[in-house]
Amino acid sequence: MVSGSALSAAAKQAEQLRKDGNIYFKKDRFGAAIDAYTEAITLCPNVPVYWTNRALCHRRRNEWLKVEEDCRRAIQLDYSSVKALDLGRGANPKGYMVDEIWQELAKAKYMLWEHASSKRSWELQSLKEACETALREKHFLDDSQPEGFLDEAGISHMKQLEVLRQVFRKAGEADIPCEFQVPDYLCCKITLDIFCDPVITPSGVTYERAVILDHLQKVGKFDPITREPLDQSQLVPNLAIKEAVQAYLDKHGWAYKLD
């Protein structure tokens, strides 16, 4: 069992490594910064800021898979202490990169979707052309049939081509961006953007966390839809909506870029 003094020493060393990483980052020495943050993570893997700082380094190097991995881990750690999100944002907005986590994760996911979408489009187009060629060759062979069968074969050939095109159009629909396809219940009532961090009020209305917190701070302590009194402490993460959003984004990666 690790003693308390050993844990304290590890935490101090990890914090010093974070500061070293920040210095390297400011000097654009991203490799050295990544090494420093990685050592900090090894010592204290449950500190979100170490993961987000490393993710920002990966972003500068366009290493999007690594950006996504570190952002996901940071988000998981944030949800184990929801109050830390709000306290960190209020006490030191620049030091606790909550919004940046979501922005970088969304950007990384969109880049990955765009790459995969381009590959799928190319594969579908290649397969479609191969199928059309096969149908034309079949139709050419059918032309050798007696004259009474030619018109019927031509009509059948055109129908087959149309069915083929419909099949490939359907197959490519998931990769076609369309803002109006996003269900209303997956979007914030104030911004109309797809949720990133949804929270629900006692009235049953779901908002984007950053948006409703901004409303409570700048406009007043009331629910903007129901007008009922509302305090920050009454906000609860809407995990059901969050899971629904993730399921939708997994299928429609283009939606990451709607906001």
Side-chain angles (χ1 to χ4, degrees):
M1 184 175 181
V2 182
S3 66
S5 59
L7 289 174
S8 177
K12 289 180 180 179
Q13 186 179 351
E15 187 59 18
Q16 183 57 53
L17 286 164
R18 181 189 68 82
K19 292 177 181 178
D20 293 343
N22 290 351
I23 293 173
Y24 293 138
F25 184 87
K26 290 177 182 178
K27 294 180 179 180
D28 292 340
R29 295 179 59 188
F30 304 121
I34 287 172
D35 290 341
Y37 295 139
T38 299
E39 288 187 50
I41 288 170
T42 301
L43 291 169
C44 298
N46 295 324
V47 180
V49 71
Y50 300 160
W51 295 90
T52 55
N53 284 6
R54 193 172 71 172
L56 289 175
C57 292
H58 290 314
R59 176 206 174 189
R60 291 296 186 90
R61 296 170 63 156
N62 292 321
E63 296 172 340
W64 296 106
L65 278 173
K66 293 180 180 179
V67 171
E68 180 187 359
E69 290 171 1
D70 282 359
C71 285
R72 283 191 180 279
R73 180 58 181 154
I75 291 168
Q76 290 171 357
L77 291 171
D78 282 342
Y79 277 113
S80 67
S81 180
V82 176
K83 287 186 178 180
L85 291 172
D86 301 332
L87 291 173
R89 186 187 283 109
N92 186 4
K94 293 183 179 179
Y96 204 86
M97 298 172 287
V98 176
D99 293 334
E100 284 83 350
I101 292 175
W102 289 108
Q103 291 170 7
E104 298 313 319
L105 177 59
K107 186 178 294 185
K109 290 294 288 185
Y110 180 81
M111 294 288 289
L112 291 173
W113 168 82
E114 190 173 43
H115 175 75
S117 176
S118 297
K119 183 180 179 181
R120 282 193 299 270
S121 295
W122 181 84
E123 290 173 344
L124 280 174
Q125 183 62 28
S126 297
L127 182 58
K128 176 174 173 288
E129 291 175 358
C131 291
E132 288 178 340
T133 298
L135 279 178
R136 291 192 187 96
E137 290 176 352
K138 179 179 181 299
H139 179 61
F140 176 77
L141 293 175
D142 288 343
D143 281 349
S144 62
Q145 298 292 328
E147 290 188 8
F149 294 92
L150 290 180
D151 291 341
E152 184 178 341
I155 294 172
S156 176
H157 174 66
M158 295 304 294
K159 286 182 177 179
Q160 288 174 337
L161 281 176
E162 181 57 28
V163 170
L164 180 68
R165 288 163 186 160
Q166 289 178 6
V167 168
F168 279 96
R169 275 198 298 270
K170 187 69 176 177
E173 281 182 0
D175 285 333
I176 300 175
C178 180
E179 183 173 357
F180 302 106
Q181 286 183 352
V182 181
D184 290 341
Y185 71 92
L186 298 182
C187 300
C188 178
K189 296 289 190 297
I190 298 176
T191 64
L192 303 182
D193 290 331
I194 193 165
F195 283 119
C196 291
D197 187 11
V199 291
I200 190 168
T201 69
S203 303
V205 183
T206 299
Y207 299 100
E208 180 64 31
R209 179 187 293 276
V211 174
I212 190 63
L213 288 176
D214 187 63
H215 167 84
L216 294 175
Q217 181 181 0
K218 296 180 180 179
V219 182
K221 294 185 178 298
F222 62 90
D223 188 312
I225 300 295
T226 66
R227 316 298 289 184
E228 294 182 8
L230 178 63
D231 185 78
Q232 174 179 327
S233 63
Q234 295 176 288
L235 300 175
V236 177
N238 193 331
L239 299 182
I241 289 295
K242 182 173 177 59
E243 289 179 3
V245 167
Q246 189 57 56
Y248 185 85
L249 290 173
D250 286 343
K251 188 175 181 181
H252 306 281
W254 48 263
Y256 276 107
K257 207 174 183 181
L258 286 181
D259 57 355

